[in-house]
Every structure is written in structure tokens, then in C-alpha cells.
Amino acid sequence: MLALQNRHRKPSSRLLPLFFVLALSRYAICTKALEDLQAEFPECSVVSTDPSELYAYAQSAYSHFVDLIGSPHTIVVHVRSTEDVVKVVKISNKYLVPIVPYSGGTSLEGNLSAPSSGSICVDLSGLDKIIAINESDADVVCQAGVTWNHLNETLAEKGIPLFFPLDPGRGATIGGMISTGCSGTNAVRYGTAKGEWILNITVVLPSGEVIKTRQRARKSSAGFDVTKLFIGAEGTLGIITEATLRLAPVLPSTVAVAQFSDIRSATNAVCDILNHGATLQCVEIIDELTIKALNQFGTSARKWPEKVTLYFKFQGSDNVIQETSRYVEGVIAKHGATDYQLASNEQESEGIWQDRRNALFACLACRPGCKGWVTDVCVPVSRLPDLISAAKKDFEELGLVAPIAGHVGDGNFHALVLYADDAELALVREAVSRINRKAIELEGTCTGEHGVGTGKRNYLLTELGEGTVALMRTIKQTLDPHNLFNPGKVSGFLRTRCLIRLYLTAVP
């Protein structure tokens, strides 16, 4: 009789599966958060639930270069100040709704995707003001939504002979560049975002507290380097709203090119040049497949020999450039270089370098209708030939077309692995996995400059070790105990506490 009664009793909601209860409660909780946000930001254009925006702000402008389509957000808030961010964070804390920061939308590793529990996307692109240019001190204070190319164009327009030397893809913002620990073609001369180019940052912490990490002095030994804690953290520890950036003097520059029979000869030549003190602003490598694609693309003023090619950028006075050029030409000749050419004027120099910029788009065009997956591995420079050779062997074995270009002076290269359908995409995933594992095996990294996001998260433990990843998670848990800031990115700390609290709040 008791069994019969129990069979007909309405089951308690506490006996329902956790995920089902969470699904039922998610809508109600996000609705409450939305109501509070709309009350805090009554202007109709600030808080959005437009489905097209919810989807767009979870994607990268370069999502077609990696198969990482972001899950749409629940709410998008277009903030205009640090104070606006604080307001959003406090509402996030009240309802335990995660926050994902967005600024330029140019990241490549699934950094912008919403968690399955729903999220508030904080759009920082409206924080686009250059606050102060301190020419005498060679630094600038700007908001997180300023793009590096706009910053440099503004300095040039004002006749200020300084520039910010970190140069990832155009449209990348200062906040995003700091958050992913970016670099670019200039890294061989100027280093990366993890160098000394970020003097301080203003950050909104998960608690809603606002901190400025240090003063504006060029150097400081005052305690921990808290600034670097947030560089490469991808918005998981705090939301960057302002930064003070160190600037470098603009120097005259020109470019040169040379061809080699193979990757190893070209790389050995670069090692030889750099280890003997030659000053290069950039040195880029392009393989024969990429050169072929450039020739077919039709934007170049010349037809290049279809060989492994090095692109050099020299800087300094005319005498310095000529002296460096003669030295480089002599060294690379010992490594079998042919067809060395130094640009004769600024127009020719710009044309040659534009070919390097066009490499990605030329490679995509070489197989019409295809998509491409961009890799981002980096190893000690002397190990680069081993890594590229292994990658090319994998591509050949799997029947994939994958042109290669990279920042050879840093040991960092990008393969654009092309695919036309799901069957080829499965092969691409296998190839990318092999390359990432090989880079780590060669004492390198699975991500030289694109960050971790969700795309490289599974390699972090192998690369950094259990102790280091555990420390990263401890820092994350300390600053963000409910894991509300860009959850699931970088170290992938699980939202256990937050889920349990949400469950207990949601059910009677």
C-alpha cells in the first residue's frame, strides 16, 4: 500500500536531476538580472537581448579560421565607463550570472563563447578614448576598447614620433591584447604584451572592486607585479577598462627578402643573425605553398620564386640599415640563400611587406570555398625546423593542404590548414592536435600569441604541469570564488560552488 501511494505521489523537485532544475531556473534568474540591468541602464541602446547581438558578441571576426563557434549570450550590455562595468558586475554577483568581456572580437581560441548557464556579455568596445598622451615620458593612457592601429594612427596624425609596437591583427583592442598576452610581427625586436609595454592597468575585480595595478613610472619593485597577473588571463580574473602603455620611437625602416631551399636552412640563418647581435625589427618566414598562393592571388607587383622565403625588416638611419643589410646578406649566403633583395625605396618596401600581410587571405583563396584552421605553436627557435618538418609530414600523411607562415625570430609559426567538409575537418582536428603535442614535446607551447580560451585548454596540463595549473586555479578561486568571470576559459575551473548555490536558490 505504501509503495502504491509513493508511486502516485508528485515527486519532490529536489529529486529532479540537477541539470533539469538548473535549466528551469536559468530563465527566471536571467530575467531578474535583465530587469535590474534595464533599471540601472534605462537608455534603450545599452542593454540588449536582440538574438543577432547575443550571437554576434559570442563570436570572433576570425571564427572561420578555427572551428570554434561561440554559444550566444543571454544579455549584452554596451558599457561606456569603468563605473558601468562595476554596476554590471554587482548585478552579476547578485544573481550569479556569469560575465564574458568583449572588446574587438578578433580572438581565435573561443575566448568569447557564453557558458551553458547563460551569461552577460560586457561590450567594452565603447571604451575607446585615448585619455592622455605623455610625449615626454613616451607613454599613453587609454581605455580598453582603443585599437592598436587607431592609437598609432592618432599619434602619427598629431606628429608625435612614437608608436605602440605590439601588432596583432588589425582591429585588436588594447584590452583584448593584454588579456590574451598578444604579440605580432614586431616581437623579435620589441617582445610581447608580457614584456614591459603595459605599465599599469585599471581592473574591475569579480567583487566589483576597482584597482589600478601600479603608478606610471617606467619601473617599480614595489611588491608583486600585479599587472602581469592579468596579462594573458583572458578576463577570468578581472575586466580591464584602462591601461597605461609604454611607447617606442618611430624609426626609419625598410625591408628585404631572400629565398632558401628549405625551412631548416632559413631558420639556421635567422639563429645565426640574431645570436650575433644584428638588430632586426621583424623576420618572417613563408613556405613555398604560401608563396605559390601569393603568386596566384594577384595582388603582388611581382612573381616570387616558389621557395621558402624570409622577409626582413630593418630599422634605423640609412647607414645603419645599409650596414645591417650587408651583414645579413653575408650571413644568409653561408646558409644557401639566393635572390637577396633590399627594397630600393619606401614604395617598394611597402609593396613587399604588403605581400606578407596578404599571405593569410591568399592562402584561403587558393582553395575556393574552403575554410581554414589557424595553428599557433611556438618552440625554441632552433627547434622550429623540427616542428615544421613534423607538421608537414602530418599534413602529407592526412592528405591536407596547409600553407605555413610565421614569426621565425620567435620560433612561432601559423599553419592555415584548409578543409572543405566535415570529413576533412576531422582530419584537421587530428593534425592540429598532433602539432600542439609536438610543440610541447619540443619544450614549446601550444599557443604563442593567440591565448588559451577553450581551444587550447585541454593542452594546458601537459604543457605547464599539474602544480602550475593547480596554482592558476587557486588564484582564480581566490579572486572569483563563484567563477563568474569568463568561466571555462584558460584553466577551465569548474563552476561547482556556483552550481550548488544556484540549485539551492532555485528549488523550494
Side-chain angles (χ1 to χ4, degrees), residues 157-235:
E157 288 168 4
K158 292 179 177 293
I160 298 172
L162 299 169
F163 79 119
F164 185 57
L166 306 186
D167 62 333
R170 287 185 68 84
T173 62
I174 298 304
M177 291 164 67
I178 295 170
S179 294
T180 54
C182 81
S183 54
T185 63
N186 286 331
V188 69
R189 169 69 177 84
Y190 294 103
T192 75
K194 294 189 177 183
E196 292 297 318
W197 296 104
I198 318 301
L199 294 178
N200 66 50
I201 52 177
T202 298
V203 186
V204 180
L205 299 178
S207 64
E209 181 184 357
V210 179
I211 64 167
K212 185 174 180 179
T213 55
R214 56 174 272 197
Q215 299 280 19
R216 197 165 57 86
R218 278 291 181 96
K219 63 180 185 179
S220 170
S221 60
F224 297 164
D225 192 344
V226 177
T227 304
K228 285 189 171 61
L229 183 64
F230 297 94
I231 299 175
E234 300 181 24

Side-chain angles (χ1 to χ4, degrees), residues 300-472:
S300 179
R302 63 182 77 193
K303 290 289 184 182
W304 296 103
E306 292 178 5
K307 298 179 179 180
V308 175
T309 302
L310 289 181
Y311 286 70
F312 298 95
K313 184 177 283 190
F314 308 134
Q315 64 178 186
S317 66
D318 286 343
N319 288 341
V320 169
I321 287 175
Q322 292 298 326
E323 183 179 344
T324 303
S325 176
R326 285 192 295 269
Y327 175 75
V328 167
E329 185 176 11
V331 171
I332 64 176
K334 298 175 186 176
H335 296 273
T338 58
D339 301 313
Y340 177 80
Q341 298 175 52
L342 178 68
S344 58
N345 54 53
E346 186 176 342
Q347 182 179 355
E348 185 181 13
S349 175
E350 178 57 31
I352 293 172
W353 202 253
Q354 188 60 47
D355 284 348
R356 170 62 186 93
R357 295 191 192 103
N358 288 337
L360 177 64
F361 304 101
C363 291
L364 267 182
C366 76
R367 282 190 70 190
C370 282
K371 294 182 179 180
W373 189 308
V374 177
T375 69
D376 179 39
V377 285
C378 184
V379 291
V381 180
S382 65
R383 310 301 296 272
L384 187 61
D386 300 328
L387 181 59
I388 293 179
S389 296
K392 283 181 171 288
K393 182 180 178 182
D394 288 336
F395 297 145
E396 183 177 355
E397 179 186 319
L398 295 167
L400 297 169
V401 177
I404 286 173
H407 317 308
V408 64
D410 313 317
N412 181 203
F413 86 87
H414 309 296
L416 180 66
V417 196
L418 300 172
Y419 62 95
D421 52 36
D422 289 344
E424 286 191 342
L425 176 58
L427 297 175
V428 170
R429 290 182 183 280
E430 173 60 24
V432 170
S433 178
R434 291 184 191 182
I435 293 169
N436 290 337
R437 293 196 302 267
K438 185 65 175 179
I440 295 168
E441 179 188 319
L442 294 172
E443 301 180 272
T445 175
C446 63
T447 176
E449 55 186 8
H450 293 168
V452 177
T454 57
K456 298 291 178 64
R457 187 180 59 199
N458 293 338
Y459 301 98
L460 213 60
L461 193 62
T462 304
E463 180 175 326
L464 299 180
E466 188 174 334
T468 299
V469 173
L471 178 59
M472 291 169 63

